[in-house]
Amino acid sequence: MSDQSVARQYANALFDVAARSQRVDVARRDLSAVVALVGEHADLSAVFAAPLIVPRKKRAVVEALLSQIGDLADEVRRLLLFLADRDRLRLLAAIRDAFEARVMDAAKVVSADVVTAVPLPAHDEAALAAALGKVTGRQVTIQPRVDPSIVGGVVARVGSLVIDGSVVRQMARLRERLLGEA
C-alpha cells in the first residue's frame, strides 16, 4: 500500500472521530499547527523520518513534544502517539493534506487551479468560481496562477476536469481544422 493511501486512511479515521465529537475544525487547526511546528524544526523532522530510530524513542519524543505544546485536541494527540507507535510519523504532512481534502469534500468545496495570462481581477475570479461551481455542483475556491505563455483566456483544472479556453489551445484547434479541410 502506498504512503498516500495509508495517509488517506489515517486522515479519514481522524475525520470520522473528530466529526463524531463535532471537533473537525479544532482537529484541523491543531493538526496543521503540529505539521507546521515539525516543518520549522529540521531535527524534529529528521527524527520523525529516520527509519533507524525505533518507535519507542519516537513515542518519547512525541510525548515530550505534547507536554510542551499543552492544549491540543485529544484526537490529534492520540493520532500522534498512534503514528509514533507504528513508525508512521513521516506521513504527518500527507495526513494533514488528506485531512484537508476530506474536510473540503465534506463541505462540498473543491479547489480549482486556474491559469491565466494576466492576473484576474477579484470580480472576474468570483464569476469564474461561480461558473465552475455550476459545472461541478460544488462550491469552488480558485487557486490562481499566471502563465503568459497561454497568451489569453483561461485554463481551469478541477480534479480531473480540465477546461482549456486558452488562446494557444484555440489557435491549435483552428490550425487542426484548417489542415483537416485542406
Side-chain angles (χ1 to χ4, degrees):
M1 190 177 297
S2 74
D3 281 351
Q4 291 293 8
S5 296
V6 173
R8 209 171 17 258
Q9 287 181 340
Y10 283 116
N12 287 336
L14 176 61
F15 181 87
D16 292 344
V17 169
R20 264 182 277 179
S21 59
Q22 297 179 351
R23 295 172 44 91
V24 171
D25 290 337
V26 174
R28 181 183 196 185
R29 179 199 67 210
D30 289 354
L31 181 59
S32 291
V34 169
V35 170
L37 178 70
V38 171
E40 292 170 3
H41 295 86
D43 291 341
L44 190 55
S45 289
V47 167
F48 282 10
L52 297 177
I53 298 175
V54 296
R56 177 178 35 81
K57 290 187 178 181
K58 288 182 182 181
R59 183 181 175 103
V61 169
V62 169
E63 287 172 342
L65 180 66
L66 292 174
S67 71
Q68 294 298 312
I69 291 175
D71 189 33
L72 194 68
D74 289 336
E75 300 87 355
V76 174
R77 186 177 296 276
R78 287 192 310 268
L79 174 68
L80 290 170
L81 293 170
F82 192 79
L83 293 172
D85 290 342
R86 282 150 184 81
D87 201 14
R88 298 279 173 96
L89 288 167
R90 71 185 183 288
L91 300 176
L92 201 52
I95 293 168
R96 187 257 340 260
D97 294 344
F99 187 79
E100 286 290 329
R102 177 75 191 271
V103 169
M104 289 182 69
D105 186 54
K108 296 199 181 294
V109 176
V110 293
S111 180
D113 295 318
V114 174
V115 181
T116 56
V118 296
L120 279 177
H123 66 279
D124 288 344
E125 192 173 299
L128 180 59
L132 291 171
K134 286 181 183 175
V135 171
T136 62
R138 293 177 173 251
Q139 180 182 344
V140 176
T141 60
I142 302 285
Q143 304 300 318
R145 188 169 51 95
V146 174
D147 181 359
S149 71
I150 70 167
V151 182
V154 174
V155 178
R157 179 184 309 269
V158 183
S160 62
L161 173 67
V162 177
I163 301 169
D164 189 343
S166 66
V167 170
V168 169
R169 180 66 185 137
Q170 290 173 16
M171 296 293 283
R173 281 190 213 130
L174 180 60
R175 181 174 186 262
E176 289 169 6
R177 262 192 279 161
L178 289 173
L179 289 175
E181 292 176 6

